[in-house]
Each structure stands twice: as C-alpha cells, then as structure tokens.
Amino acid sequence: MLDDVRRFSTNAYPEDLRASAWADVLLMALIGRATDTPALPPLEGYVSSRTSALGSVFMTLASSPQVWTPHAASALRAGGAVLVLALLEGRARITEGDESIALAAGGMVVLEPTRRWRVLLETAFRAVVVKLESASFLRRLVRTSGQDLNQISSRSGVGAVCMNLVRSVSEELDRLAGPDLLPIEATLNELLVSCLSHRGTQKTEDSTSVQLGHLRRVCRTIEARLGDAELTVDHIGELEGLSTRYVQKLFKGGSTTFGEYLKERRLERCRI
C-alpha cells in the first residue's frame, strides 16, 4: 500500500498493475474505486499529494472517467475525518440513497467517509480531494445538514472563498511542506463549518453567524488549554465572558457536548 505519495502516475506501472496502484492512492483519502460499472475507458491517472502533521491528506488528481465509493476500510480508519471533493474540470454526479446532485467544474461537496455515497466521474476530470482530519464538529454538521448532499455553493460569499482556497492549494501543492498545511486545514475547516451552518431564513443565518463566531472562540480557547486536566465548561465560560448554559447550547447545535468535544480533541492531539 502507498502510505505517503507525493507524485504518482499510472504510466509508471505495467498495465496489469495500474488499477491496483491507483486503488492504493485513493485509499489515502478513504476512497474506493468501483469496478461494477461496465464500459469504462482505460485507466489513466496522475496525482500530487501532501500529508499534514495531523494526518490530513491533500490531493490533486487528473484521471479518466471512473466511479468512487467509500473504501471498505473507512469504518475503521475514518475517525473524525471528512472528505472534501472540489471539481476543477469535468463533470460528475453524486448519489446517496434517493438523493442525487450534478457537480460541474467549480463545484464542491463534503462527504462523510462511512456513508454509502457514490461519485460518478462522467468525464475525464481534474479535482482536489482533501481528507480533513480532526474535523469532528464539521463531521456532525455533515450528518445533520439539510443541504443537498452537503454541496457547497461556490458562486459567492464564503463558499467562493472556500473554493478559491482549494484552487490555490492545488496550484501550490508541490511546493508545500507538511507544516505549511496546518494553517490551511484549520482555515478550510472553519470555512466549511461556516458554509454548512448558514441555512434557513436570513434571521436564522444572522443568528447562526453570531453563534458560530462564539463557537470558534470557545474552540480556540479549548485548543490552547487541552493540557489542563482541570478544564471545565464553567472555566471556559468565564474566560470567554459567556454563560455556562450558552456554551453548552453552542455545542448542542453541533450535536455534541462540551465534554465529548474536549475528549475527542485530546485523543486527536495524542495521535500527533
């Protein structure tokens, strides 16, 4: 298996080994390549990849039409990860259960690795795939969001900023080192949380925006004090000038609790 690939080309492998080598590359992002679709063209693919200190994987891929599904290992290896697919060129269709969306160039979607989705890349394509680790809160939003398969609107606003960030990463990926990716993945995580949190009426969106800002502050404060064995929700509330009840409400909005979030972040920090 290929655990850390910086550059990959199927042309470097004999024809009978290309499919297996390509499958190993996709596994880095917990993606499997479906083989039950007939009449696919011969496999041809190129990848640039970098892995961050937290284990997040950033990949730029160019390849022939194919079908992706969650890899069988996802249930064991996903942890708190989510997958981000940004299509730079080509056309795709994503289905999960009864839902289906078309994805054109410039489109982006967030996928939960253990769900039963299917990505049909209908044409030759170029895309960015990010396996974003330490994204437990974002993952909860992915599970509870009412948006169509968690598609990110990249035409304007925060979604456009998010897509521009991903494009810039793809252009500079070969020149980025592991430590360079830490602030990028933190920013991408926050942008995606913002995108998936903004829905409903304008009034609801305004309220969500304020709460999201408070939650970001709280999470940053927790991050700076993960080593404090006496850290409590009351202490965090005092530090941020927020009531304990309000802090608990912020985490409830993400389908978690202060205690669960703190435990997950400490476990994720231990993995580094």
Side-chain angles (χ1 to χ4, degrees):
M1 187 180 72
L2 305 174
D3 293 317
D4 187 15
V5 174
R6 286 181 173 267
R7 294 192 68 83
F8 170 91
S9 170
T10 53
N11 292 336
Y13 291 81
E15 189 170 345
D16 59 339
L17 297 179
R18 290 179 182 178
S20 177
W22 185 252
D24 283 346
V25 172
L26 293 181
L27 176 55
M28 293 171 58
L30 300 179
I31 293 173
R33 181 168 176 259
T35 58
D36 59 352
T37 302
L40 286 175
L43 176 63
E44 182 177 3
Y46 307 88
V47 175
S48 292
S49 174
R50 292 292 184 275
T51 302
S52 78
L54 290 176
S56 293
V57 178
F58 291 74
M59 306 173 71
T60 299
L61 308 94
S63 189
S64 50
Q66 56 197 266
V67 180
W68 292 348
T69 59
H71 195 278
S74 295
L76 299 176
R77 297 176 56 174
V82 299
L83 300 182
V84 183
L85 168 61
L87 198 61
L88 303 181
E89 297 176 10
R91 187 175 68 250
R93 177 162 291 278
I94 301 170
T95 59
E96 182 180 329
D98 296 331
E99 293 186 81
S100 179
I101 59 170
L103 202 66
M108 180 185 298
V109 67
V110 185
L111 301 169
E112 212 264 78
T114 62
R115 299 278 281 268
R116 296 177 64 85
W117 42 262
R118 188 177 180 91
V119 178
L120 170 60
L121 294 149
E122 301 171 318
T123 65
F125 68 93
R126 191 166 66 89
V128 176
V129 172
V130 181
K131 184 188 71 150
L132 197 60
E133 291 283 356
S134 302
S136 299
F137 186 74
L138 175 59
R139 186 170 177 176
R140 287 188 176 90
L141 286 179
V142 169
R143 289 175 173 175
T144 59
S145 172
Q147 299 183 20
D148 293 339
L149 289 178
N150 297 296
Q151 185 174 14
I152 304 298
S153 175
S154 58
R155 292 189 295 272
S156 62
V158 179
V161 174
C162 194
M163 188 65 190
N164 288 336
L165 173 62
V166 171
R167 287 184 187 276
S168 297
V169 170
S170 72
E171 293 168 359
E172 298 297 327
L173 192 57
D174 288 339
R175 290 175 284 277
L176 293 173
D180 300 327
L181 295 172
L182 289 175
I184 294 174
E185 62 184 305
T187 301
L188 181 58
N189 195 344
E190 286 201 1
L191 289 172
L192 291 170
V193 166
S194 181
C195 288
L196 294 181
S197 296
H198 286 71
R199 57 184 184 269
T201 66
Q202 182 63 44
K203 181 177 179 180
T204 300
E205 288 179 354
D206 291 342
S207 174
T208 300
S209 180
V210 172
Q211 292 180 7
L212 181 60
H214 289 161
L215 181 60
R216 287 173 177 166
R217 281 170 38 205
V218 167
C219 289
R220 284 195 290 266
T221 301
I222 292 173
E223 197 70 21
R225 292 167 173 78
L226 285 179
D228 182 358
E230 304 299 323
L231 189 63
T232 66
V233 64
D234 294 331
H235 187 201
I236 291 296
E238 290 175 7
L239 290 171
E240 291 298 330
L242 303 171
S243 71
T244 298
R245 184 177 179 181
Y246 183 68
V247 173
Q248 292 170 332
K249 179 181 177 181
L250 293 177
F251 284 100
K252 185 178 179 180
S255 302
T256 187
T257 66
F258 169 83
E260 289 175 350
Y261 179 81
L262 179 61
K263 179 181 178 181
E264 288 179 1
R265 288 303 302 130
R266 282 173 170 165
L267 290 173
E268 289 165 356
R269 175 67 63 86
C270 290
R271 293 173 50 222
I272 302 175

